[in-house]
Amino acid sequence: MTNKHYAIIGGGINGLSVARQLLLDFPDAKVTVFEKENSVAMHQSSHNSGVVHAGLYYEPGGLKARLCRRGAELVYKFCLENEVAYDECGKVVVALSKEEEIRLNAIYQKSVANQVPDVRILEASEIQDIEPNCIGTSALYSPRTAIVSYGDIAKKIAEEIKRKGGSIILGQKVTHLTERFNKITVHFDNNEHHSTVFDYVVTCAGLQSDRLAASSGDIETPKIVPFFGQYYVIDENFKNYVRGLIYPVPDPKYPFLGVHFTKRIDGQMTIGPNAFISFGRENYSGKKINISDIYDFLTYKGFWKFSSKNMPAAMRELRTVLSQTNFVSEAAKYVPSLANVSVIPATRGIRAQAMESDGSLVDDFVIRKQGNITHIRNAPSPGATSSLAIAEYIVREVMSHG
């Protein structure tokens, strides 16, 4: 492995995790990470809820289920070994009706199949033993669900990469890759290319993953359609009304989860996120509209097919976008004593949602190998939880290092 040179495109938590795993498994390999920003973890890695998901919802046997469970274990171990804050605050998924109880039981069955530790169903009278201000007809309790800062984890991984002899090159936007005779050239947006040719490349481009893959010769679909999710921090005087995480039971009629309470690693309590189309793949402020990104989804037939099937969901989410009062009232269904709590805007995340041309959302992780290039095409939640396990999977099962 001494003469093998790997390039990783993207300095978010997934790209950094892959670079780290390569150096762990092949200490003599040369590993170079290219990141377009001037720091690592500037996008989805630092614009998320910070939840270490336990694996409740995912289809047993799928990549999400497998890599989430393994990833949660690896994140805990990494935080312990590197003195990164980790809070096992627990989570309740709360049913408000008999209909939701049926769906809740199905989630419980998946949790058991996925070997999520210590999950159990709570009767209505037991919910307040866990969350004293929460109401519901029943709940699924996951005591091992935790919270972290994935931005902090990514920065620690970056430090480890450098200690192990890897390189992280910042401020270099990669536009495409070309492979010839099993050697890969990395091209930048200034029409230059890297003087070194690489033996293997892994692209971890998040919100730009479809564009980089397609420009490098991979298939056009699935395409990324960006959805923003706004979080709000509640008045600090009320943050202790919720101990950990309170989630709704997912409704299969809606493509996204719905507003919930999420404790943050700094001790603040957040409400969020909603989910609505973003007028820019990297429009974290909500003010930087990107015409090219808008044109991209408006001219994609998959977006219009998705929209036609999900108009009620769009109207529900739009109400929370336009009104903080409606946003808070969605969460207050579970904690009525917070119905009038004041909130301030916090993190706005943008979900890199992969969508097929028929309008269906891609649920599982999508990792495709094209020659000696491996593309992460879809890694939404629990992508951050799974990052260290995704890296193991790519390095040990997807790539060939011959």
Side-chain angles (χ1 to χ4, degrees):
M1 294 307 301
T2 303
N3 298 320
K4 299 298 181 184
H5 198 163
Y6 296 84
I8 310 300
I9 315 303
I13 195 166
N14 277 300
L16 295 169
S17 295
V18 171
R20 171 182 177 268
Q21 192 64 50
L22 285 165
L23 291 165
L24 288 172
D25 286 5
F26 309 112
D28 295 329
K30 297 176 183 177
V31 176
T32 303
V33 178
F34 294 99
E35 166 55 45
K36 69 176 182 175
E37 307 295 352
N38 292 320
S39 182
V40 300
M42 293 292 286
H43 292 279
Q44 292 179 97
S45 302
S46 56
H47 293 83
N48 58 62
S49 66
V51 176
V52 182
H53 293 281
L56 306 180
Y57 309 103
Y58 315 122
E59 200 60 43
L63 271 183
K64 269 191 179 182
R66 171 187 162 191
L67 299 183
C68 180
R69 284 297 318 128
R70 174 64 176 159
E73 295 168 359
L74 292 173
V75 166
Y76 172 70
K77 181 181 177 184
F78 183 90
C79 290
L80 197 65
E81 293 175 348
N82 291 275
E83 299 181 338
V84 177
Y86 183 98
D87 181 359
E88 200 169 78
C89 60
K91 167 180 175 177
V92 288
V93 181
V94 181
L96 298 177
S97 66
K98 292 296 181 183
E99 180 186 353
E100 289 189 352
E101 286 182 34
I102 295 171
R103 299 203 301 267
L104 187 71
N105 187 62
I107 295 171
Y108 173 69
Q109 298 302 327
K110 285 183 179 179
S111 303
V112 172
N114 291 336
Q115 299 183 321
V116 177
D118 304 326
V119 290
R120 61 189 176 96
I121 293 290
L122 305 176
E123 301 296 330
S125 59
E126 298 176 295
I127 294 174
Q128 292 182 355
D129 293 338
I130 308 301
E131 288 288 356
N133 296 298
C134 181
I135 64 168
T137 58
S138 68
L140 186 154
Y141 179 40
S142 172
R144 302 288 291 277
T145 296
I147 52 173
V148 295
S149 165
Y150 287 109
D152 288 350
I153 291 174
K155 288 169 185 173
K156 283 286 186 182
I157 294 173
E159 292 172 7
E160 184 178 350
I161 289 168
K162 293 175 183 177
R163 285 198 308 272
K164 293 182 180 300
S167 299
I168 299 176
I169 299 177
L170 301 172
Q172 287 280 26
K173 181 180 178 180
V174 176
T175 58
H176 65 288
L177 310 165
T178 53
E179 181 172 356
R180 191 178 182 198
F181 303 126
N182 297 320
K183 296 293 182 180
I184 302 159
T185 302
V186 176
H187 301 266
F188 305 116
D189 65 347
N190 54 8
N191 293 321
E192 295 181 358
H193 63 267
H194 201 268
S195 57
T196 304
V197 292
F198 297 89
D199 298 291
Y200 303 95
V201 176
V202 181
T203 71
C204 311
L207 287 155
Q208 309 296 339
S209 60
D210 59 331
R211 290 171 173 168
L212 181 56
S215 68
S216 302
D218 197 27
I219 59 177
E220 292 285 335
T221 55
K223 283 185 69 69
I224 296 298
V225 176
F227 291 84
F228 77 79
Q230 180 68 56
Y231 287 88
Y232 289 89
V233 175
I234 72 171
D235 183 336
E236 185 162 353
N237 294 317
F238 296 89
K239 68 181 183 181
N240 292 326
Y241 276 47
V242 178
R243 291 176 175 175
L245 314 176
I246 300 176
Y247 276 55
V249 177
D251 187 335
K253 294 196 300 288
Y254 298 112
F256 301 114
L257 191 55
V259 173
H260 44 272
F261 289 94
T262 306
K263 184 181 178 182
R264 216 163 59 179
I265 197 66
D266 63 3
Q268 297 300 322
M269 181 58 61
T270 67
I271 300 175
N274 48 14
F276 203 73
I277 193 70
S278 176
F279 297 134
R281 293 198 183 194
E282 299 173 8
N283 183 20
Y284 298 109
S285 68
K287 300 174 183 177
K288 296 181 179 179
I289 293 174
N290 187 303
I291 299 301
S292 175
D293 290 347
I294 296 172
Y295 178 82
D296 210 22
F297 68 72
L298 286 181
T299 55
Y300 183 45
K301 64 180 181 180
F303 171 72
W304 293 106
K305 290 182 178 180
F306 168 83
S307 299
S308 67
K309 292 184 289 188
N310 289 281
M311 195 55 67
M315 291 300 99
R316 182 188 76 165
E317 296 298 325
L318 182 59
R319 286 194 294 271
T320 68
V321 172
L322 297 176
S323 167
Q324 288 187 14
T325 301
N326 286 336
F327 197 105
V328 172
S329 67
E330 283 292 314
K333 293 176 183 177
Y334 303 90
V335 185
S337 55
L338 291 177
N340 298 310
V341 70
S342 60
V343 298
I344 58 172
T347 302
R348 176 188 278 243
I350 299 180
R351 182 186 181 100
Q353 179 61 60
M355 186 181 292
E356 298 287 5
S357 58
D358 64 359
S360 61
L361 302 184
V362 181
D363 184 56
D364 212 348
F365 297 147
V366 178
I367 298 168
R368 285 179 46 83
K369 189 171 180 292
Q370 169 206 357
N372 286 340
I373 303 170
T374 301
H375 299 286
I376 298 181
R377 294 290 301 253
N378 190 47
S381 180
T385 298
S386 308
S387 55
L388 296 172
I390 289 173
E392 281 187 342
Y393 172 72
I394 288 173
V395 173
R396 296 176 180 177
E397 298 185 43
V398 177
M399 299 177 74
S400 57
H401 307 269

